[in-house]
Structure formats: structure tokens, C-alpha cells
Amino acid sequence: GEDVEQSLFLSVREGDSSVINCTYTDSSSTYLYWYKQEPGAGLQLLTYIFSNMDMKQDQRLTVLLNKKDKHLSLRIADTQTGDSAIYFCAETPRQAGTALIFGKGTTLSVSS
Amino acid sequence: NAGVTQTPKFQVLKTGQSMTLQCAQDMNHEYMSWYRQDPGMGLRLIHYSVGAGITDQGEVPNGYNVSRSTTEDFPLRLLSAAPSQTSVYFCASSSPRGVNTEAFFGQGTRLTVV
């Protein structure tokens, strides 16, 4: 079945880099996503990567995709206290645009 | 720009009561879906719809009904609420024609069943 796995917690110091890892199961997923959820709020798309890409960089964010190992990572450079949130990895095992399958989320805690 | 609007934001029900969680989007998106979020469980898909008149079950559909009579609205019905349905519910919409098929989420409905 479809399953997305993430580590549950990550703690870093302000200014360090954060790396959040994710493994997924469905190799037919067209897009892979990273969503951010701040306390008491809904989910907001942080970034995404198309399945034919290996890497995508967007300002402080770098997404790496290893299709062979079905491994996705999100690197946040120069992590700030405002980056403290829950980060969800998600895949689209069916046709693009249909419902997402989420991991359980990684809680990132940034200390100053 | 309203995006995805969910109502109510908070609700307390007694066991056995019924209610409907409302979800509306103004982006003309074909796809809509409902998720529940529980501590340590991430978001789990309840039901989804790929267009008006079409719905399908997700991972945890039991105890919930949906319908999609218009493109804009996708209500979620709890027929007989149970304490196990205490959760935060999120509605999302997306379009297959977008560049990245981004899903837009509502702010959530926090439901407590006592």
C-alpha cells in the first residue's frame, strides 16, 4: 500500500542547516511535495519537485530526490526560529492533482 | 481571494449527534478532498472528489459521507458522531491544470465529540 515515512522530530540551533528526510513507496508519483504547518494553522505548500528532477533549489530550500531509493529530503539553510513548524512530505500516487498521501510530519524545533 | 473556506472553525458534539462540516472553494478547482489530522498520525485521507458528481473513499472513510453537487462545495457529514472522530479536519482543493497541482488547504475545523 501507499506509505510515506518521516522522522518525527528534529532539533537544530538557529543558523544551522536542517535536513528533513522522507521515504515514499509509489514510484508512479508525479509530484512530491513539502508542506509546512505552523501551530494552529492549515497547511501551506513550501516547495515541490517533479519526479524527473534530482534537485530543486528555492532560496534557502533545497529538495533532493533519489528515485531509485524513493528518498526525498528537504534542506533548510540558515535555519531561523520562524522555521519552527511541522513539515509534511506528501506524494500523489494517483494522477497528478488528486488527493495527497502524507507522512506523519517532522516537528522542527529551532533554538536560539 | 478567499481560497478554501471551512466552517465552523470549532465544534463540540455529543456522541450520536450528526453534523455537516462545510467546505467551499472559489478557485474553480476540480479536485477536492477531506483529511483528518490526529497527533502523531499526520493527515489521513477521508474522502475525495475529482469533479462534481464524483466522489470516492480515502484511507479512513467509515463514519463519514460526502457529496459533490457543485464544483465549489464539498461538505463532509458525520451521521452519528463518536469520540474517535475527535480530530482536526482539513479540506483541500487543487486543479490538474496547474503547473504543480498545488493543493490549497482550509484553516481547519477542530471537532470534539464528548
Side-chain angles (χ1 to χ4, degrees), chain A residues 14-29:
Chain A
E14 192 174 22
D16 289 348
S17 292
S18 306
V19 179
I20 302 172
N21 294 302
C22 168
T23 58
Y24 61 98
T25 56
D26 196 319
S27 57
S28 69
S29 291

Side-chain angles (χ1 to χ4, degrees), chain B residues 1 4 6-7 15 17 23 32 50 61 65-66 68 71 73-75 82 85 89 92-93 102 109 111:
Chain B
N1 294 331
V4 179
Q6 289 184 237
T7 56
T15 297
Q17 284 185 313
C23 176
M32 297 186 74
V50 298
N65 278 355
V66 292
R68 185 93 180 272
T71 299
D73 300 297
F74 191 43
Q85 294 178 304
Y89 291 85
S93 75
E102 175 182 355
T109 296
L111 176 67

Side-chain angles (χ1 to χ4, degrees), chain A residues 8-54:
Chain A
L8 294 182
F9 299 101
L10 177 64
S11 182
V12 301
R13 290 185 179 273
E14 192 174 22
D16 289 348
S17 292
S18 306
V19 179
I20 302 172
N21 294 302
C22 168
T23 58
Y24 61 98
T25 56
D26 196 319
S27 57
S28 69
S29 291
T30 308
Y31 291 99
L32 294 146
Y33 301 86
W34 285 103
Y35 278 83
K36 178 182 180 182
Q37 184 183 35
E38 295 182 351
L43 275 74
Q44 184 177 16
L45 180 67
L46 200 58
T47 188
Y48 67 95
I49 189 166
F50 190 53
S51 58
N52 69 353
M53 299 168 66
D54 298 324

Side-chain angles (χ1 to χ4, degrees), chain A residues 31 33 35 37 48 95 97 100, chain B residues 31 35 37 94 99-101 103:
Chain A
Y31 291 99
Y33 301 86
Y35 278 83
Q37 184 183 35
Y48 67 95
Q95 63 183 35
L100 299 161
Chain B
Y31 299 141
Y35 298 85
Q37 183 178 24
S94 62
V99 173
N100 62 355
T101 65

Side-chain angles (χ1 to χ4, degrees), chain A residues 78-94:
Chain A
D78 187 24
T79 312
Q80 303 297 306
T81 54
D83 295 324
S84 293
I86 304 176
Y87 292 80
F88 291 95
C89 171
E91 63 172 344
T92 51
R94 289 173 284 273

